[in-house]
Amino acid sequence: MVADHTSKIVGTAWGLLILNTLGSAGAKTIVPLPRSLIQMATMGALVAAFALALAVNPRLRIRAGAFVFLLTLLLVPSVISSANLESGFGAVFRCARLALFVGTLWLLSRWWDGGLTFVRHHIRLYFVVLGSVAAGLVISPGAAMPELYGGRLVGALWPLTPPQIGQYAAVIIGLTVLLVLGRRTDRTSAAVVIVPSLVLLALTHTRTATLGLLIGLVLAIGSLLLTSAAARRFFAWAVLCATVASVAFSSALQAWFLRGQSQENFSNLTGRAKVWNALLAAPRTTPEQLFGAGLGDKSFGGLPIDNSWLAVYQEQGLIGVTIVAAIFIVLGGVALLRPPSLQRACAIFLISYCAIASYTEAGLGDASPYLLHLAVAASLLAAPAAATPLPTPEVSRLSTPDVPQRRIPRWARKSEVT
């Protein structure tokens, strides 16, 4: 009973971290929500998550790991660059938020034991978020698919952008598929998650999330081919279906992938390349190159950067880029060294998805869903906690007296019956 209660508290804290990383900017909602109110809710969720994690782990027992240690190191360039106030007092506020976020992960790391607990928390909680998106679509289809976003699905109840919805849908689809292959969930429960999530992913027209899902699943399932017959069958059927679909629906797939954009616009990654070139060409001092300009809103010249590596370079400098690269190298290296297992496959999927999404999405240098995905991967790769040995019972002095027993002579022993 105590373990179940603790698990619920840990799951609630994880859900509050997810709420904190949903963000406050996005499409217009059905009921207008002031941005200050949303920011108050998200920051309150982070404070509540830290308080719950501290309440359930009052003795501050943690699992030392490279992932959270490297995140802690990432605070160093963040604080140094933000202390100059070049990005305003908002940078200091974001540093405090990142520190509280990392501190909560440290407290929750006690339960990172290589199991699937946090995978299940991840799926359930993001499925709730997608449920709010589906509810907004049913209540007001016009607000959920506005012309401002080209008819792509957005959050009508909570301001979520199409890339956010696509990311959440792709991640829980991939994890649920792997749970089915590992026989850790039944097909009916999996279909309840996968089918509506696929519909929402298709409505967002998010190419990055779709490619991350496909490539991540290929790599994850590929790691199971030698040990899982179910993975081999799924892989064969997936290749067959993909081949048939690419032949029969090539024009429809191409139209969905281009989203009505011209070839020039597509080659410029919807204008992202222009922002990237301007960011790299901007003059910088040596401290700015090393430590960045401070945590900001992941934009340059008023336009979103939409690249995690360039956003980290802008805000945390080359030192920040090095630390983020070290996170991927460490997690990827540990995953490759682990023997084939479902946990390893889920970790490979999450790491590869975050690596692919980092090219067109920002968030690896600050509190974000991508850091939560990598945290789940770290929990899957953690070594199982060693079992506490049972105390050895003390031997009673009555059974082993200090005075040795007197030897009975042979003639006094009971004779054997032949």
Side-chain angles (χ1 to χ4, degrees), residues 25 74 107 136 139 173 245 253 259 277 306 343 362 379 386 404 408:
L74 191 62
L107 293 173
I139 295 173
I173 289 170
L253 291 174
R259 294 195 316 228
N277 294 333
D306 286 341
Q343 288 84 345
S379 74
I408 302 176

Side-chain angles (χ1 to χ4, degrees), residues 300-322:
F300 180 80
L303 297 174
I305 298 175
D306 286 341
N307 182 289
S308 286
W309 303 100
L310 293 179
V312 172
Y313 174 64
Q314 168 70 14
E315 298 182 354
Q316 290 138 317
L318 292 175
I319 295 178
V321 172
T322 303

Side-chain angles (χ1 to χ4, degrees), residues 222-277:
S223 69
L224 295 172
L225 290 180
L226 297 179
T227 57
S228 173
R232 290 191 291 270
R233 289 193 299 268
F234 181 87
F235 190 81
W237 278 105
V239 171
L240 178 61
C241 293
T243 303
V244 173
S246 62
V247 174
F249 306 102
S250 59
S251 59
L253 291 174
Q254 183 179 5
W256 182 90
F257 198 77
L258 290 176
R259 294 195 316 228
Q261 297 175 347
S262 63
Q263 292 292 340
E264 181 182 359
N265 196 17
F266 177 74
S267 62
N268 288 328
L269 296 173
T270 321
R272 291 185 177 98
K274 297 179 181 179
V275 180
W276 299 347
N277 294 333

Side-chain angles (χ1 to χ4, degrees), residues 14-190:
W14 196 256
L16 291 171
L17 286 180
I18 289 177
L19 175 59
N20 173 254
T21 58
L22 291 182
S24 59
K28 295 182 179 179
T29 55
I30 299 174
V31 178
L33 299 174
R35 188 173 181 179
S36 58
L37 178 62
I38 298 175
Q39 290 176 336
M40 187 182 302
T42 54
M43 279 306 302
L46 179 58
V47 174
F50 181 80
L52 282 179
L54 187 61
V56 78
N57 189 7
R59 297 184 179 181
L60 304 181
R61 295 178 179 175
I62 59 175
R63 292 289 302 275
F67 171 72
V68 188
F69 175 73
L70 289 171
L71 281 185
T72 307
L73 284 183
L74 191 62
L75 284 170
V76 176
S78 303
V79 172
I80 292 175
S81 59
S82 300
N84 294 328
L85 298 180
E86 183 177 343
S87 300
F89 286 100
V92 179
F93 176 80
R94 292 183 180 93
C95 279
R97 176 190 177 220
L98 180 59
L100 201 60
F101 182 86
V102 175
T104 306
L105 292 182
W106 271 116
L107 293 173
L108 295 179
S109 67
R110 176 186 177 183
W111 291 274
W112 295 1
D113 56 359
L116 297 170
T117 302
F118 284 89
V119 171
R120 299 186 184 279
H121 288 327
H122 221 53
I123 294 174
R124 291 167 184 161
L125 295 168
Y126 274 121
F127 187 69
V128 172
V129 176
L130 293 180
S132 69
V133 175
L137 178 61
V138 173
I139 295 173
S140 178
M145 303 183 71
E147 291 297 329
L148 180 63
Y149 284 87
R152 301 169 64 190
L153 180 64
V154 299
L157 299 181
W158 186 277
L160 298 175
T161 62
Q164 284 181 282
I165 300 171
Q167 174 197 164
Y168 306 152
V171 167
I172 69 172
I173 289 170
L175 292 177
T176 306
V177 167
L178 293 174
L179 289 182
V180 172
L181 294 180
R183 298 180 180 178
R184 298 302 179 90
T185 188
D186 59 275
R187 296 182 179 180
T188 303
S189 300

Side-chain angles (χ1 to χ4, degrees), residues 174 177-178 181 213-236 238-239 335-336 338-342 344-349 352:
V177 167
L178 293 174
L181 294 180
L213 170 63
L214 296 177
I215 298 175
L217 277 180
V218 168
L219 296 176
I221 296 174
S223 69
L224 295 172
L225 290 180
L226 297 179
T227 57
S228 173
R232 290 191 291 270
R233 289 193 299 268
F234 181 87
F235 190 81
V239 171
L336 292 177
R338 287 282 190 270
S341 65
L342 176 60
R344 176 183 182 239
C346 291
I348 289 175
F349 169 76
S352 58

